[in-house]
Amino acid sequence: MEESTTFNEIKHQQETFSRTILGFWIYLMTDCILFATLFSTYAVLHYNTFGGPLPIEIFSMPTVLAETLLLLTSSLTSGLGLLAARRNDTSKLLIWFGMTFLLGLSFVILEITEFAQLVQEGHSWQVSAFLSSFFTLVGTHGLHVSIGLLWMIVMIGQIISGGLTVNTFRRLVCFNMYWHFLDLVWIFIFTFVYMMGVI
Amino acid sequence: MKKNQALINIQKKWQGSLSSYLFGFIISLLLTSAAYFLVITQFFTDTALVFTVIGLGILQAIAQLLFFLHIGKVTKPYWESIVFFSMILVLIIIVTGTLWVMFDLNSRMMPTMTEMTHVSDVPDMSDVSDIPETLNKEIPND
């Protein structure tokens, strides 16, 4: 009796893990569609500058490169953190996710300063359709990253206080997928917004 | 003990490895730098540059999907891959549909040369035989 209960519990936890991972993956797919609609809007409206400046005149390329490299590296450190979690190495896990947090925070700060500078120079989202769609697309991505940072803090706190369990490992896997997905969306922002804007 | 066993089982299920992460990172780094420096130095002319940069972006997206998100590496049943491809289908419909409709609408809304001098632009119906005579007349232009 003792053995079969234990086996059922283990099986239940494994099924919960697989189900939750698949469910979270489906959520990420719907988030992809959300970003696709924002990209389509930007594609339709990006020539409508209302007589204002062209993208090439207001985008700062070094900032964009820095943001891209920060997010890419944070994606790597997040994966390395999950590898540490698989080895039950809690201290390494915390170091890697701590680094992911710092890199992600640097990205958000850089992006906020980029937006603030644009608004200060008079290129706010109220000025033209191009700027509205730009701020909506890139701002939504930045909001996703910021919420990811909050999630990371809570998760790091949970691991420090409760250790690595089935639940916390599952959440780390979900977070890792989320973070990789955000880097994936950023590749498209980098290519279609910033690179296309400058050519 | 039983909690540890479940944890061990699910830890084994996760598909990542150090080599796939490092490989994916290096490839993404190369593709990003290549796209960036091609654009900064304007190495190619306009159209060629556009297609090259888009191609590099798509390659990097595929690399990240394979090496970071492990698409297609999940064991049977391939639910995650199925959901992914159905999302791609919806995405293609939305994006191409939006672009097609909006650009077609845009071109239809452009004022034509004849509109600036004539009021109506009615098609000629003189070759249609199954409508009554009274309707089959030419409408005079003002």
Side-chain angles (χ1 to χ4, degrees):
Chain A
M1 262 295 116
E2 188 58 51
E3 274 301 320
S4 67
T5 321
T6 310
F7 178 73
N8 280 336
E9 276 188 39
I10 293 174
K11 194 152 172 289
H12 173 71
Q13 282 173 324
Q14 277 176 240
E15 281 169 5
T16 307
F17 176 78
S18 305
R19 224 174 32 233
T20 310
I21 298 300
L22 179 60
F24 193 78
W25 178 252
I26 295 173
Y27 153 68
L28 285 182
M29 295 297 102
T30 65
D31 228 10
C32 282
I33 294 180
L34 176 77
F35 277 107
T37 60
L38 295 178
F39 269 107
S40 307
T41 308
Y42 180 80
V44 170
L45 295 175
H46 74 286
Y47 285 131
N48 300 27
T49 55
F50 198 52
L54 296 170
I56 190 169
E57 295 167 36
I58 58 176
F59 289 161
S60 156
M61 284 297 112
T63 312
V64 171
L65 185 66
E67 286 169 351
T68 310
L69 295 177
L70 282 170
L71 211 56
L72 179 61
T73 314
S74 74
S75 211
L76 173 70
T77 55
S78 171
L80 294 175
L82 199 51
L83 280 168
R86 196 162 70 161
R87 292 189 312 259
N88 281 313
D89 190 348
T90 315
S91 50
K92 275 274 172 52
L93 187 170
L94 291 173
I95 291 174
W96 285 124
F97 277 108
M99 269 179 58
T100 310
F101 180 80
L102 288 174
L103 291 166
L105 187 64
S106 313
F107 171 88
V108 172
I109 290 175
L110 208 53
E111 196 166 68
I112 290 180
T113 44
E114 183 193 349
F115 283 2
Q117 192 170 21
L118 280 175
V119 173
Q120 246 179 354
E121 288 170 3
H123 312 305
S124 83
W125 48 87
Q126 298 170 329
V127 163
S128 69
F130 153 66
L131 285 165
S132 295
S133 53
F134 168 78
F135 275 103
T136 307
L137 174 59
V138 184
T140 305
H141 176 266
L143 190 61
H144 274 75
V145 174
S146 307
I147 293 179
L149 292 178
L150 189 64
W151 185 2
M152 236 192 298
I153 293 183
V154 172
M155 251 179 12
I156 289 174
Q158 280 193 336
I159 291 181
I160 290 176
S161 68
L164 198 58
T165 68
V166 172
N167 291 330
T168 50
F169 184 76
R170 193 185 63 233
R171 286 168 201 151
L172 284 177
V173 175
C174 288
F175 172 80
N176 197 44
M177 280 200 286
Y178 181 77
W179 202 252
H180 288 326
F181 156 79
L182 284 179
D183 193 32
L184 195 68
V185 173
W186 180 259
I187 296 174
F188 287 101
I189 294 182
F190 172 76
T191 307
F192 288 99
V193 174
Y194 290 107
M195 293 290 105
M196 292 300 121
V198 176
I199 291 176
Chain B
M1 232 41 254
K2 52 184 190 233
K3 233 161 66 164
N4 279 339
Q5 186 54 45
L7 181 58
I8 292 169
N9 287 346
I10 67 180
Q11 278 169 330
K12 279 199 217 134
K13 276 192 79 171
W14 184 66
Q15 291 291 324
S17 74
L18 182 61
S19 57
S20 88
Y21 270 111
L22 287 177
F23 195 59
F25 179 69
I26 304 278
I27 288 187
S28 302
L29 203 58
L30 289 174
L31 290 170
T32 305
S33 318
Y36 183 77
F37 285 108
L38 281 178
V39 168
I40 291 290
T41 60
Q42 295 271 323
F43 202 68
F44 298 131
T45 54
D46 275 345
T47 326
L49 190 55
V50 165
F51 281 115
T52 311
V53 170
I54 290 179
L56 288 172
I58 291 179
L59 275 178
Q60 199 189 146
I62 293 175
Q64 288 215 3
L65 279 169
L66 284 176
F67 297 113
F68 284 3
L69 283 166
H70 319 296
I71 296 271
K73 289 199 196 144
V74 180
T75 52
K76 295 201 278 279
Y78 296 99
W79 284 121
E80 290 172 10
S81 305
I82 291 172
V83 168
F84 175 74
F85 285 113
S86 50
M87 181 277 288
I88 292 289
L89 178 67
V90 172
L91 191 148
I92 289 175
I93 292 171
I94 288 178
V95 174
T96 56
T98 303
L99 293 176
W100 183 7
V101 167
M102 294 313 287
F103 282 105
D104 185 79
L105 185 63
N106 193 34
S107 64
R108 283 177 200 277
M109 300 277 269
M110 293 290 188
T112 61
M113 282 301 294
T114 52
E115 263 179 332
M116 300 178 198
T117 52
H118 292 88
V119 172
S120 61
D121 193 15
V122 181
D124 184 14
M125 300 258 283
S126 57
D127 55 348
V128 176
S129 57
D130 60 341
I131 52 173
E133 258 307 314
T134 47
L135 291 177
N136 195 12
K137 282 191 207 138
E138 254 200 48
I139 298 159
N141 285 334
D142 290 334

